[in-house]
Amino acid sequence: MVIPGFEEQIEKFKSLARKVAKGQKRSDVHDLRVVTRRLRVIFWLMKQSKSVKIPAKTRSSLRKLGRSLGERRQLDVAIRDAAYYKLNAAKLEPLHRESSTALSSFLTSKKIDKLAKELRRIRQELICFSIFNFSKPMQTLLFKLNQWTAFPSNKAELHEFRIQIKKILYALEAVGQPVLPLTRIKDCLGRAHDLEALGKYFRNARRIRTDETQKIKGAEKLFKPAVFFAMKKLS
């Protein structure tokens, strides 16, 4: 089994990292976060299949960058949504500036070049070792998915399930499998999570909670077909 989109993700990462370092445009931050997540899942697949070795420092750098991108992206979305709900987002601005400064510290030219060099090295190893057996990591994902016999019953479970669905989605993407049913429930759960985060800043905004509940109900309707689809693809 090969990793069809690995080289494409590396090129996207290098391009987007430099764009975000220059301007931190909202869409670029989002896209870089997604690419970083995809690369981390690909590295997890490699580790689980005991193929190409990924240095711990590289995995750690991507994890820390991903966390910083997530914090910035959450505030980007919160400010955008506050405008939609006609809420005063002034109290979010200092947090937004802090997240911007923190993100910049991860995206200096030196750090980008170092990480890009390491990604190129890994790509060169892949040229010599291009066939992988992903049965073990896929079985690991399937085992964890089998624990979800019913839709999550609380916020903590929803958060855990959302993360697991994204990991499965990116793993299937990495090996060239279709993922549309998982994309739908991921988007629904992601939007519910955005609204939950917004609600923590504006606790008296009832409309936010109402919309969050609607998104959760939408995800619940997608739960069984999405899980069945994922189980079939992972088996």
Side-chain angles (χ1 to χ4, degrees), residues 87-98:
L87 300 167
N88 186 352
K91 61 183 176 182
L92 300 180
E93 293 297 340
L95 298 174
H96 192 263
R97 287 193 295 271
E98 288 176 14

Side-chain angles (χ1 to χ4, degrees), residues 8-122:
E8 178 186 359
Q9 296 306 315
I10 291 174
E11 295 305 316
K12 282 185 177 180
F13 176 84
K14 291 188 293 185
S15 173
L16 286 166
R18 291 188 172 96
K19 284 184 179 180
V20 173
K22 289 180 180 179
Q24 295 195 15
K25 184 180 175 182
R26 182 191 299 166
S27 59
D28 290 337
V29 169
H30 169 74
D31 290 345
L32 180 58
R33 181 170 179 252
V34 171
V35 169
T36 301
R37 283 182 176 274
R38 285 176 172 150
L39 286 171
R40 289 182 62 199
V41 171
I42 288 172
F43 290 168
W44 178 81
L45 288 171
M46 291 179 184
K47 182 180 178 181
Q48 292 294 310
S49 62
K50 297 181 179 180
S51 52
V52 177
K53 186 177 181 180
I54 310 298
K57 285 186 177 181
T58 302
R59 298 198 308 271
S60 176
S61 294
L62 282 177
R63 182 175 64 254
K64 291 176 181 177
L65 173 59
R67 187 182 299 122
S68 185
L69 286 163
E71 291 170 357
R72 170 57 192 264
R73 185 261 176 196
Q74 180 175 303
L75 285 161
D76 279 344
V77 173
I79 290 172
R80 180 200 67 190
D81 287 346
Y84 172 79
Y85 288 104
K86 295 180 173 57
L87 300 167
N88 186 352
K91 61 183 176 182
L92 300 180
E93 293 297 340
L95 298 174
H96 192 263
R97 287 193 295 271
E98 288 176 14
S99 70
S100 179
T101 300
L103 181 55
S104 294
S105 71
F106 288 104
L107 292 173
T108 63
S109 295
K110 183 177 179 179
K111 289 183 178 180
I112 293 173
D113 290 343
K114 184 177 179 180
L115 193 48
K117 182 179 179 180
E118 179 60 22
L119 291 173
R120 286 196 297 269
R121 183 196 66 77
I122 294 168

Side-chain angles (χ1 to χ4, degrees), residues 9-11 18 34 55 57-58 61 75 89 124-125 129 148 171 175 183 191 208 221 224 233:
Q9 296 306 315
I10 291 174
E11 295 305 316
R18 291 188 172 96
V34 171
K57 285 186 177 181
T58 302
S61 294
L75 285 161
Q124 287 302 313
E125 283 196 34
F129 194 99
W148 295 102
V175 297
T183 299
R191 185 58 186 148
I208 296 173
K221 291 179 181 178
K224 287 185 178 180
K233 291 298 179 182

Side-chain angles (χ1 to χ4, degrees), residues 191-208:
R191 185 58 186 148
H193 177 70
D194 290 342
L195 292 169
E196 179 189 2
L198 183 66
K200 291 177 181 178
Y201 297 119
F202 302 97
R203 295 186 181 277
N204 295 324
R206 185 178 299 177
R207 187 181 167 195
I208 296 173

Side-chain angles (χ1 to χ4, degrees), residues 169-185:
L169 186 154
Y170 295 141
L172 290 174
E173 270 189 345
V175 297
Q177 292 290 331
V179 294
L180 185 57
L182 298 182
T183 299
R184 288 170 178 161
I185 193 169

